[in-house]
Amino acid sequence: MFGLAAGEAILRGMERKTRQRDAVCGVFERESRPLSPLEVLQEAQRELPTLGIATVYRHLRSLVEEEWLQLVELPGVPPRYERAGKHHHHHFHCHGCGKVYELEGCTGGFASLVPDGFELESHTMVLHGRCAGCTHAA
Amino acid sequence: MFGLAAGEAILRGMERKTRQRDAVCGVFERESRPLSPLEVLQEAQRELPTLGIATVYRHLRSLVEEEWLQLVELPGVPPRYERAGKHHHHHFHCHGCGKVYELEGCTGGFASLVPDGFELESHTMVLHGRCAGCTHAA
DNA sequence: ATCTCTGCAAATGTTTTGCATCAGC
DNA sequence: GCTGATGCAAAACATTTGCAGAGAT
């Protein structure tokens, strides 16, 4: 058994410090909201206009592997990414502007909904509506 | 203003009774679980092997417009479809077999998580884990 | 006979990958 | 200078659409 332990990353990669990597990380350091790959590209291109979308995807994947970012999957929209290491929380998806916001807290009590024989491991909760900006604009 | 009222479908279509439409509807009448387009195709092809995926997509969309089906969007996986007209409920996603199950009931109490100025319109809740079949198999 | 529906293939949108070149170390 | 990272373009994957022909009414 010469292989890697279970869960150990095969492809680590992207460990070199480059302007592209700095640009991607910088976006997340300036913005607390979970961001889509396109949002990251557009924001990072303000600093580095030649940045390509493939590089953004590669860094997002790599930063998730390094546990510097966390993948945020939401129903029916492209995935978002946020800084890892936050407390348990959920998200609000505004269908006016499409932005996703972090919410604090959790109502809990989900175990009672699970049928016999099913094993509950985690849960996802997304609140949908209009954010403050879009409520006022409408 | 000769147009259609808000919400009225522009493209109704698919109102003709065909073997393809019967095959798609039949799958949902036999299966209570929310199904992905591919699950619908594979099940319907047992009855009608020449059925194409494009036709499945067209009927799924049309049946949602007719409010015979309801779209079920889940984080990070292709959308599912279930019979419309059910009571408010949520879903369980098994990461063993990938199947989605309907859950009864709702814990409620989400409004307290929403920041000031945000307008809450709906919520999505998905429980993740292993279904009875996958728990026993593992 | 008409007009819609179907299946195929091509188009679309998103994400991934191959590869020659560029740049960090 | 070596090796990994980048940008482009092509590939992959899921979904939608154009179109000619089949089928429902």
Side-chain angles (χ1 to χ4, degrees), chain B residues 23-37:
Chain B
V24 169
C25 292
V27 171
F28 286 99
E29 278 160 352
R30 286 191 298 278
E31 191 74 57
S32 68
R33 187 165 63 76
L35 301 170
S36 69

Side-chain angles (χ1 to χ4, degrees), chain A residues 117-119 121, chain B residues 94-97 129-138:
Chain A
F118 282 49
E119 193 184 319
E121 295 182 358
Chain B
C94 175
H95 64 238
C97 59
R130 299 189 145 258
C131 70
C134 289
T135 302
H136 299 143

Side-chain angles (χ1 to χ4, degrees), chain A residues 86-109:
Chain A
K86 304 193 177 201
H87 293 121
H88 177 74
H89 65 277
H90 295 290
H91 298 93
F92 184 98
H93 182 214
C94 175
H95 64 239
C97 59
K99 285 181 186 158
V100 175
Y101 298 88
E102 188 179 329
L103 297 175
E104 284 178 39
C106 178
T107 57

Side-chain angles (χ1 to χ4, degrees), chain B residues 59-132:
Chain B
H59 278 294
L60 291 176
R61 184 138 60 106
S62 162
L63 289 165
V64 168
E65 270 178 28
E66 295 168 31
E67 295 181 317
W68 193 84
L69 285 181
Q70 175 142 10
L71 176 63
V72 178
E73 294 188 311
L74 302 165
V77 293
R80 316 290 160 131
Y81 295 82
E82 66 184 9
R83 290 294 306 271
K86 304 193 177 202
H87 293 121
H88 176 73
H89 64 279
H90 295 290
H91 299 93
F92 185 98
H93 183 214
C94 175
H95 64 238
C97 59
K99 285 180 186 159
V100 174
Y101 298 89
E102 188 178 329
L103 297 176
E104 284 179 38
C106 178
T107 57
F110 309 114
S112 65
L113 306 177
V114 178
D116 281 351
F118 282 50
E119 193 183 319
L120 177 61
E121 295 182 356
S122 64
H123 62 271
T124 309
M125 203 167 75
V126 183
L127 305 189
H128 307 268
R130 299 189 145 258
C131 70

Side-chain angles (χ1 to χ4, degrees), chain B residues 16-18 54 57-58 61 78-79:
Chain B
R16 203 171 267 183
K17 177 174 162 57
T18 64
Y57 277 110
R58 279 189 278 236
R61 184 138 60 106

